[in-house]
Amino acid sequence: MILISTRDRIVERADTLFYEGGFEATSFADIAEAVGISRGNFYHHFRTKDDILDAVIDRRLERTRGMLEGWQGEGANPRERILSFINMLIANRTKIMAFGCPVGTLCSELAKLDHAAHARATDILGLFRDWLTAQFRTLGAGDRSEPLALHLLSWSQGVAVMAAAFRDEAFIGNEVAGMEAWLVSLTENSFKTKEH
Amino acid sequence: MILISTRDRIVERADTLFYEGGFEATSFADIAEAVGISRGNFYHHFRTKDDILDAVIDRRLERTRGMLEGWQGEGANPRERILSFINMLIANRTKIMAFGCPVGTLCSELAKLDHAAHARATDILGLFRDWLTAQFRTLGAGDRSEPLALHLLSWSQGVAVMAAAFRDEAFIGNEVAGMEAWLVSLTENSFKTKEH
DNA sequence: GTCTATAGCCGGATAGAC
DNA sequence: GTCTATCCGGCTATAGAC
């Protein structure tokens, strides 16, 4: 039997609720109810709502690192690893069509709230950027590695926003196919051309 | 002297506040203070916060139609008109880096709130989609017109999300250059290839 | 049309018993 | 560690005077 600490359960449920309902709109009562504890007990684990947000971002940073390490081990080459990234859009399409990208939407919300945690939420995107940059560098993209990484990350963010707006699954499929074709064209051209 | 009704001033200020602070986080008091009226007076014009949101979306729909008509008149050809769309990212870059895209972020927020106005907010994106589709069709893109329109709209949404996260102006410039090159490659190939 | 005053609720946060 | 009870403030919304 696995015992999960109340603190961890709070962070786990808060993570989900922040994703599905937004940070601002999620109340202590919502989280307490989801965890199954009283509101008062809450403050034994976290002093403020911002502390929970910090813990949620920590959790996401940790899980993102784990996921990237997993892709690193599974993929035989950088192209396959990048495909693992792209495939996230397909694997998570149902939730993305309902709530968008967990990271992108959090960054957008925290930007508007002018929240101190905005920079740390952006660090999660930074993990993807750096990992993708490393993949493109291994592919031989040289100085273009980071712009290419940012472009693909940006592309996926756009697809997530549009998917949550139009709720169009076929659109996601089209764009993912476009990403894969783009990746093929990059490797075929061996990064000799400047445009994609 | 131009007289603007209190109602219009409420909608105008609410539009700005919803953009810069988010719908949920903006209170009646915030709007009343921005307009310079009392909270009580508010309910003479709008019964609920959702009514204000509806009016704000109406305003955005109207202004978007006006903007698209303007581009239609200014641009000598569809390529130039599409460039007007792309140029929005440059013209509004300061606000986009601070708050993201007004439409994309509103759709994302309303999706999480499971708000009834989500579909109408998406209609604003739909105006861009349909207008861009018409431009690509005039360019001779045929059946690919709508996918191309959705792709460009999606691309711009991704850039807005990333710009608001990383606050990187150079990134916006790179992506806009990429969009322009993509548009050139499309017209040069006269839509004979399937990939971009 | 605009105001003040206020109802009623819910938010985050605290104190203290067990 | 968990609970109940509670405070305070801000929120939406209403009533009614001017």
Side-chain angles (χ1 to χ4, degrees), chain A residues 127-165:
Chain A
L127 290 178
F128 285 105
R129 175 200 58 204
D130 294 344
W131 184 85
L132 285 171
T133 299
Q135 306 309 318
F136 283 114
R137 200 174 300 281
T138 308
L139 273 179
D143 289 346
R144 290 176 58 211
S145 300
E146 185 167 287
L148 287 170
L150 284 170
H151 177 68
L152 182 56
L153 187 54
S154 175
W155 194 344
S156 70
Q157 286 298 320
V159 171
V161 170
M162 296 281 287

Side-chain angles (χ1 to χ4, degrees), chain B residues 8-52:
Chain B
D8 288 345
R9 279 166 55 226
I10 291 173
V11 177
E12 182 194 330
R13 303 301 281 157
D15 192 342
T16 304
L17 290 170
F18 288 173
Y19 174 35
E20 299 184 356
F23 169 67
E24 179 84 3
T26 300
S27 70
F28 274 175
D30 293 333
I31 305 172
E33 188 189 15
V35 176
I37 61 171
S38 71
R39 264 162 295 167
N41 187 10
F42 223 102
Y43 293 84
H44 179 73
H45 302 280
F46 295 97
R47 285 180 57 252
T48 70
K49 198 177 173 184
D50 288 350
D51 288 341
I52 303 177

Side-chain angles (χ1 to χ4, degrees), chain A residues 159-180:
Chain A
V159 171
V161 170
M162 296 281 287
F166 290 108
R167 270 84 191 250
D168 181 353
E169 191 166 341
F171 164 77
I172 302 179
N174 285 342
E175 290 294 315
V176 164
M179 289 178 187
E180 291 171 349

Side-chain angles (χ1 to χ4, degrees), chain A residues 19-20 25 99 105 112-113 118 122 129 150-151 154-155 157-159 161-162 164-167 175 181 195-196, chain B residues 19-20 25 99 105 112-113 118 122 129 151 154-155 157-159 161-162 164-167 175 181 195-196:
Chain A
Y19 173 36
E20 300 184 356
F99 313 113
T105 52
K112 282 178 198 283
L113 296 176
H118 174 266
T122 302
R129 175 200 58 204
L150 284 170
H151 177 68
S154 175
W155 194 344
Q157 286 298 320
V159 171
V161 170
M162 296 281 287
F166 290 108
R167 270 84 191 250
E175 290 294 315
E195 308 303 338
H196 61 276
Chain B
Y19 174 35
E20 299 184 356
F99 314 112
T105 53
K112 282 176 198 285
L113 296 176
H118 174 266
T122 301
R129 174 200 58 203
H151 177 69
S154 175
W155 194 343
Q157 286 297 322
V159 171
V161 170
M162 295 283 285
F166 290 108
R167 270 84 190 250
E175 290 293 316
E195 307 303 338
H196 60 277

Side-chain angles (χ1 to χ4, degrees), chain B residues 101-180:
Chain B
C101 167
V103 189
T105 53
L106 180 63
C107 287
S108 294
E109 182 177 0
L110 296 181
K112 282 176 198 285
L113 296 176
D114 202 20
H115 197 289
H118 174 266
R120 293 192 64 245
T122 301
D123 285 345
I124 309 174
L125 282 181
L127 290 179
F128 285 106
R129 174 200 58 203
D130 295 342
W131 183 85
L132 285 170
T133 299
Q135 306 309 317
F136 283 113
R137 201 173 298 281
T138 308
L139 273 178
D143 289 346
R144 291 177 57 212
S145 300
E146 184 166 287
L148 288 170
L150 285 169
H151 177 69
L152 182 56
L153 188 54
S154 175
W155 194 343
S156 71
Q157 286 297 322
V159 171
V161 170
M162 295 283 285
F166 290 108
R167 270 84 190 250
D168 182 352
E169 191 166 341
F171 164 77
I172 302 178
N174 285 342
E175 290 293 316
V176 165
M179 288 177 188
E180 291 171 350

Side-chain angles (χ1 to χ4, degrees), chain A residues 58-98:
Chain A
D58 282 340
R59 174 187 154 93
R60 292 194 186 182
L61 282 166
E62 207 49 53
R63 289 168 66 90
T64 301
R65 285 192 197 97
M67 187 169 62
L68 295 175
E69 279 172 22
W71 293 345
Q72 195 71 25
E74 291 164 19
N77 53 58
R79 200 187 64 84
E80 277 188 19
R81 290 180 210 129
I82 294 171
L83 286 176
S84 294
F85 170 81
I86 294 172
N87 190 56
M88 263 199 307
L89 287 168
I90 301 293
N92 302 328
R93 64 190 183 281
T94 306
K95 295 213 120 192
I96 290 173
M97 282 191 289

